Amino acid sequence: MVHGLYIHIPFCERRCHYCDFNTYEGMTDLAPDYAAAVSADIAARAGEGLRAAPGGLRSVYFGGGTPSLLEAGLLLDLLDSARETFGLAPDAEVTLEANPSTADAGKFRALRRGGFNRISMGFQAAQDRHLEALGRVHRVADSERAWDLARQAGFEDMSLDLMFGLPKQSLPEWEASLDWALERGPEHLSFYGLTVERGTRFHALAARGELPLPGEGEQAGMYEEGIRRVEGAGLAQYEISNFALPGREAVHNRLYWENLPTLGVGAGAWSFVDGVRSGRLRGPAAYIAAVTSGRDPVAESERLEGREARAEEATLALRMNRGLDLGRWAAARGDFLVEFGAALAPAFRAGCLEREGGFLRLTPRGRLLSNEVFLALL
Ligand SMILES: C[S@@+](CC[C@H](N)C(=O)[O-])C[C@H]1O[C@@H](n2cnc3c(N)ncnc32)[C@H](O)[C@@H]1O
Ligand code: SF4
């Protein structure tokens, strides 16, 4: 039984210099075969007996890569497959991740009419020089245009992503990015501190000492200023990197952080079904070949059990500002602090965790240092 469906679209016009997602340049010719394979993958899972939770899927999320590169017809075919195979809840959230470079009025209108009701756009920064340094294909004016086109097409639930801690980024520039983003009036906003991932161009530059990133203290200041400004605009923080107007928290994100079963289809997509976490073949051509010849496209899987499963679930719950419900946890799995109290004692002492009203949660300092807290738990 699954509550949500994630559909991975592994194509991009060009790879950004910081990105280590499962995505490929110059492969969009594969898109029609790829979409057919994803539909077949969905049908095969239903053929094996997989069903949506009662009431239908609560979320269908097209992530990437750049889903907005695909023709509207292919995206709508995929949504139809999900709808016909699993059924959608009447208020299901249907999200498209979009790159501003791909904005197209006709495409947005067709998607809105066909049942997409949420768009998440990668803005990243309000300065062209930063977009260029990141290797983004769009510029600030494209972001503004894309946003307006999506609004005109009838999207009333829109999110945008920003990044901070960029090479040579100053605090005033970050503040300007936040203010510019908030002027667009998003219902939801995510921001992330740049992570230098192995295998990326930024990683190679950093290894040569050629990636001048802001210092740790400056990055912490940027994170704190980000929270202040976004919350000042009425979007409450509900997770380490995510903010929303009341009632606009992303259903897709919440399913994941609440550790509810979801099916992920497409190259490299992750699923969590019946206590098993599994990942599909990462190469688009290998994925298409496997699905079309009736083979299982899963490349790796792991059953999470015992303490490991509980620790994983706890880190997901602690990412959210509401925190971990100690009473609910005790009813299902025993006393959380008896099992994990010793491991978390240093985090309590460092002022990273607090216990209040039956919940255990990260403090603002804990959200800044969340990786260290989670490492102690895992
Ligand atoms: C699923 S990703 C990709 C969305 C979309 N493909 C795009 O780039 O516009 C969502 C967000 O994660 C963030 N992100 C991706 N790689 C990152 C990295 N190495 N460090 C920090 N944030 C990153 C970006 O803000 C990005 O918009
Ligand atoms: S557009 Fe998004 S997925 Fe594609 S390369 Fe850039 S960050 Fe990665």
Side-chain angles (χ1 to χ4, degrees), residues 8-9 11-25 64-66 97 99 124 134-138 163:
H8 190 71
I9 307 297
F11 309 118
C12 285
E13 290 160 273
R14 198 172 73 200
R15 184 179 278 279
C16 304
H17 301 334
Y18 56 87
C19 178
D20 77 337
F21 291 120
N22 187 41
T23 189
Y24 303 84
E25 294 180 8
T66 307
E97 262 181 14
N99 189 311
Q124 319 310 352
L134 290 167
R136 300 287 300 181
V137 283
H138 63 98
M163 291 165 76

Side-chain angles (χ1 to χ4, degrees), residues 3-349:
H3 294 265
L5 176 67
Y6 173 81
I7 299 180
H8 190 71
I9 307 297
F11 309 118
C12 285
E13 290 160 273
R14 198 172 73 200
R15 184 179 278 279
C16 304
H17 301 334
Y18 56 87
C19 178
D20 77 337
F21 291 120
N22 187 41
T23 189
Y24 303 84
E25 294 180 8
M27 279 203 197
T28 36
D29 286 356
L30 286 181
D33 289 347
Y34 183 81
V38 170
S39 285
D41 190 359
I42 292 173
R45 304 301 64 88
E48 289 168 357
L50 187 65
R51 297 286 175 266
L57 296 174
R58 289 159 57 193
S59 161
V60 182
Y61 191 97
F62 290 72
T66 307
S68 55
L69 263 183
L70 260 54
E71 299 289 332
L74 290 180
L75 292 164
L76 291 169
D77 285 350
L78 286 169
L79 181 57
D80 281 344
S81 293
R83 193 184 280 120
E84 284 158 19
T85 309
F86 291 119
L88 300 194
D91 59 349
E93 175 185 278
V94 182
T95 307
L96 178 81
E97 262 181 14
N99 189 311
S101 62
T102 60
D104 178 275
K107 186 185 284 190
F108 283 164
R109 275 198 302 272
L111 294 175
R112 183 71 193 91
R113 270 199 308 273
F116 281 77
N117 53 28
R118 187 168 181 274
I119 284 199
S120 174
M121 283 194 191
F123 274 14
Q124 319 310 352
Q127 298 80 21
D128 282 345
R129 75 177 189 93
H130 283 305
L131 295 178
E132 192 172 335
L134 290 167
R136 300 287 300 181
V137 283
H138 63 98
R139 293 295 172 259
V140 176
D142 301 316
S143 303
E144 294 176 351
R145 178 175 160 271
W147 189 266
D148 292 345
L149 286 179
R151 283 291 195 215
Q152 286 155 17
F155 283 93
E156 291 168 358
D157 194 0
M158 288 179 44
S159 181
L160 60 89
D161 296 341
L162 295 175
M163 291 165 76
F164 67 93
L166 308 179
K168 292 193 189 156
Q169 187 184 35
S170 67
L171 180 61
E173 280 178 320
W174 170 233
E175 292 169 348
S177 288
L178 289 160
D179 291 346
W180 164 79
L182 290 166
E183 276 166 26
R184 316 262 87 75
E187 283 70 34
H188 187 283
L189 188 151
S190 312
F191 63 70
Y192 306 93
L194 173 72
T195 313
V196 178
E197 305 281 1
R198 268 179 196 287
T200 61
R201 185 186 296 207
F202 271 10
H203 193 264
L205 286 174
R208 296 205 298 269
E210 291 170 14
L211 196 69
L213 300 179
E216 254 177 50
E218 270 178 280
Q219 293 188 32
M222 288 179 174
Y223 180 66
E224 281 160 2
E225 186 55 31
I227 295 173
R228 228 184 338 268
R229 287 197 185 220
V230 178
E231 291 214 313
L235 286 81
Q237 185 177 26
Y238 69 101
E239 194 264 355
I240 294 168
S241 307
N242 284 276
F243 302 78
L245 291 179
R248 300 297 192 133
E249 298 84 4
V251 175
H252 166 73
N253 289 350
R254 297 196 61 138
L255 295 179
Y256 173 66
W257 294 317
E258 288 174 9
N259 210 28
L260 291 167
T262 49
L263 174 66
V265 291
W270 287 92
S271 301
F272 180 57
V273 180
D274 295 334
V276 176
R277 204 171 289 288
S278 64
R280 281 166 162 58
L281 291 162
R282 290 174 63 83
Y287 170 80
I288 294 170
V291 175
T292 47
S293 62
R295 278 180 284 129
D296 184 356
V298 169
E300 50 185 316
S301 65
E302 178 190 22
R303 176 171 292 283
L304 294 177
E305 282 172 317
R307 182 185 164 100
E308 190 192 4
R310 290 191 291 279
E312 167 95 9
E313 182 163 356
T315 60
L316 294 172
L318 287 172
R319 294 190 67 89
M320 293 197 283
N321 283 38
R322 75 191 286 266
L324 185 149
D325 184 334
L326 291 165
R328 246 176 86 182
W329 186 281
R333 306 169 189 82
D335 190 316
F336 180 79
L337 289 170
V338 165
E339 184 168 17
F340 293 104
L344 291 176
F348 272 109
R349 276 199 301 276

